[in-house]
Each structure stands twice: as C-alpha cells, then as structure tokens.
Amino acid sequence: MQSITVLGATGSIGVSTLDVIARHPDRYRVFALTAHSRVDELAEQCIRFKPDVAVVGTAEAASQLSARLQSAGLTTQVEFGEQALCDVSSAAACTTVMAAIVGAAGLAPTMAAAHAGKKVLLANKEALVISGQLFMDAIAASGSVLLPIDSEHNAIFQCLPLNYQRQLGHHGIRKILLTASGGPFLDRDVSTLDQVTPEQAVAHPNWSMGRKISVDSATMMNKGLEVIEAHWLFGAAPNQIDVVIHPQSVIHSMVSYADGSVLAQLGNPDMRTPIAHALAYPDRIESGVDTVDLTKIAQLNFRPPDYLRFPCLKLAFDALHAGGSAAAVLNATNEVAVEAFLDRQIGFRKIPELIDAVLNRLPVEPVTDLGAVLAMDKSARLLARELMHQ
Ligand code: NAD
Ligand code: MG
C-alpha cells in the first residue's frame, strides 16, 4: 500500500491525482493533502480522503480548515507554512510524494521528498529547472525513485529502455523529440500578439490546466522549461533535444534511436494517464482515460517551432546552454512576468522581453547549493519587477 502526500491537491494535477487514487483504494491511501488558499476545496477533499495531515498557506486558513474538519468529525491534523510542507513530504509514514505545487513555491517540499528517499512523482517542473543538478544529486544520494508526470517526459520515460541510465549514447539513442501543441496562438498573426488577453491565453486548445502553465503554453515557455527538465531527467545535451510542434497533442513525445526507429507514446490529452503510469509503475492500472480513437483524429500534423513567434523557447535553450544559475533566473523572471500578464499589468509580448532583459543583466553563477540558487531567484524577481514598467 502506497501512502501518498499530494502537494498542491486542489490544483489541476492534484485533482486528477485524487481521481486516479480514488479508483484504487486497495493500492493507495492519502497521507497528506496540501493547498495554498482554497480552504473549501481542501476541506471537501479531506472529508473524502481522510488524510492524516492537511497543510495550508497561512495560520488563518489553517484555523478555518480546522473548524471545518472538526465539525465533520475528522481527526486530520492541520498545519500551515513551508516547513509543514517539507514535513509531510519527508514523514516516515509517507512513501510517495506527488509534487504538484506550481512554481518555485514547490521547490523546498519537493527537495525534502528527494532527500528523504521518497518515490517522487514530479509535476512541478519549475522545481527541477531551478535546482537542476542539486535535485538530481539528492535523488541519487537517497535512492529515491523519480518518475516524471509531465506528459512529454512521462512519454519519453515510457519510450526509453528499461535500464536507462541517463546517457543517451550508451543506449543507442540519437535524440529526444519533445512534442508541443503550439498553444492557442500557433496560427494567430504575430503582429497582433500584443493584444491578446489573459482569457485568450489560458484557453488551451487541448489541455485543461492551471493558469500559469496555460500562459506558459501560449508563450511556449512551457516547452522551454520542459527542454531543461528533459536535460536533467534524461541526461540529454541541448543539441540532443528537438522540439516538434504537433497541434493535436496525441503523440506526447518520442525517442529516436540510432537504427532509425522512433518510439512514441500516444494517448488522449488527459493527465490521468501519466499520473496512473507513475503511481503504479512498473504495473499498469485503470486511469479513467479512454483509448485514443485514431480514426476520429484522422490526421497527425507536425512542424518545426518558429522562434519569432515563440521567443521564450529560444530564451530557454539559451539559458540551458549558459548553464549555472541562468535557468533559475529564466524561471523566476517568467513567474513574475506571467503573474503580471494575468493581472493585466503587462502585455503578452512583454513576457519574453522582460526575461531577456533580466537574463542579460544578471551574471551566470555556478549552482553550488540551494541557498545560492534561491538568492539568484530573489534577485531575478526584484529586477524583473523593477524593469517591468520601463
Ligand atoms: P494549479 O494552479 O491548478 O494548482 C497549483 C497548486 O499549487 C494548487 O493546489 C495551489 O493551492 C498550490 N499552490 C500554489 N501556490 C502555492 C504556494 N505559494 N504554496 C503552496 N502551494 C501553492 O497548477 P497545475 O496546473 O496543477 O500545475 C501544477 C504543476 O504541475 C506546475 O508546476 C505545472 O507546470 C505542472 N504540470 C501541470 C500540468 C497540467 O496539466 N495541469 C501538466 C504538466 C505539468
Ligand atoms: Mg508538458
């Protein structure tokens, strides 16, 4: 029986995770659920899944949640704050952590799970982009099992050899082919991109996701972060990762081998597939997702990405080439810019402009410890806010 902590339980990935868990009460129990501010949703989830612990963002939210749970007769212990997130990710009673907080806020508890040797199901790509080698070292040192939830990386994982050891060349692998839908603005006139609204940007054609990752998909920074994620997860150099635009989102990614074979993983665009894969690995379980009907889809299209339309993708490749703290700076600035765009403080095209400006101004420093990375993250956020209205 796996005993699971779901970090970010009220989010899109968290809800899909609980949907899969509920289908298999014989395999999984919920140890802890966490949410930032959505107390009502978290209370409902606690009543349904009866976790040992629930964690929220503030003392006020914790007292609201406690009152709700007590009146429902639950004995769930309620905690708040970052240390509590780290505690439920490293507790002896927890075997598995679904890391599904959005952004850098998920870094500390995801790291805590890695250090504690938990089975880590990684959705929170920003945590890996920021910490890179430090995270992979923590996983290796503790003997954690790390399984990707991001649909592309989960697809790649499924297409890699069973004994894959993070070295493409040792397994006769030429390249990793990351597919991308291209988001809602794939065919929009580039000269009108500055007028797009947050509502248009979050309306993804294929996937239903949280607001931040939806904007990242529209700028293709999501794919940029995923290139960096693939670099760390699979030990792939930047020139061994190709991005292919595939608007139908049926092929979730591919691995190209030396003999000319290309292995792909296909499925409906529903995150319950990679979640169920990672939860049950190496078994296969029902996820609630139907088999993709290729006769209904009829066509699968592909095209190369266009950096003029999607400058964020190029910025991410550049940051990966630069190494060190560049990826953390890219990520931090992107988080600030996306939030400002969603708050209607800046236009859509300003997102890559801001990231470029901050990357050009801050030096690339070696990533030696988490403190140094967090300091770079902080400097990038400050500078981004300063430059935002210039
Ligand atoms: P979401 O916005 O729907 O949910 C985010 C969750 O994080 C919520 O439960 C929220 O309470 C929690 N949270 C937010 N800020 C927090 C903070 N400061 N402290 C603690 N908790 C906080 O996001 P999502 O779409 O579920 O994405 C979660 C992660 O998974 C992201 O890193 C995203 O890139 C990744 N991911 C999502 C999808 C998808 O289909 N949604 C696919 C691949 C990867
Ligand atoms: Mg993805």
Side-chain angles (χ1 to χ4, degrees), residues 279-329:
L279 274 171
Y281 181 79
D283 294 350
R284 296 277 182 171
I285 57 169
E286 286 286 339
S287 66
V289 181
D290 287 338
T291 304
V292 63
D293 184 344
L294 291 172
T295 60
K296 281 209 180 106
I297 290 158
Q299 275 193 359
L300 298 178
N301 300 103
F302 305 93
R303 58 176 118 156
D306 167 2
Y307 284 155
L308 288 176
R309 178 180 295 276
F310 298 114
C312 283
L313 181 59
K314 171 140 194 333
L315 290 169
F317 266 109
D318 290 348
L320 181 57
H321 276 290
S325 56
V329 168

Side-chain angles (χ1 to χ4, degrees), residues 252-274:
H252 297 307
S253 278
M254 298 171 263
V255 176
S256 153
Y257 285 87
D259 59 7
S261 299
V262 176
L263 300 194
Q265 186 259 358
L266 283 71
N268 283 319
D270 187 322
M271 290 306 292
R272 290 176 301 174
T273 296

Side-chain angles (χ1 to χ4, degrees), residues 123 125 149-154 178-179 207 209 213 217 222-223 226 229 252-253 271:
K125 65 193 86 181
I149 294 298
D150 217 343
S151 57
E152 296 77 3
H153 305 74
N154 184 271
L178 267 184
T179 53
W207 296 94
M209 309 181 286
I213 183 175
S217 298
N222 183 51
K223 209 52 51 184
E226 290 184 358
E229 184 184 10
H252 297 307
S253 278
M271 290 306 292

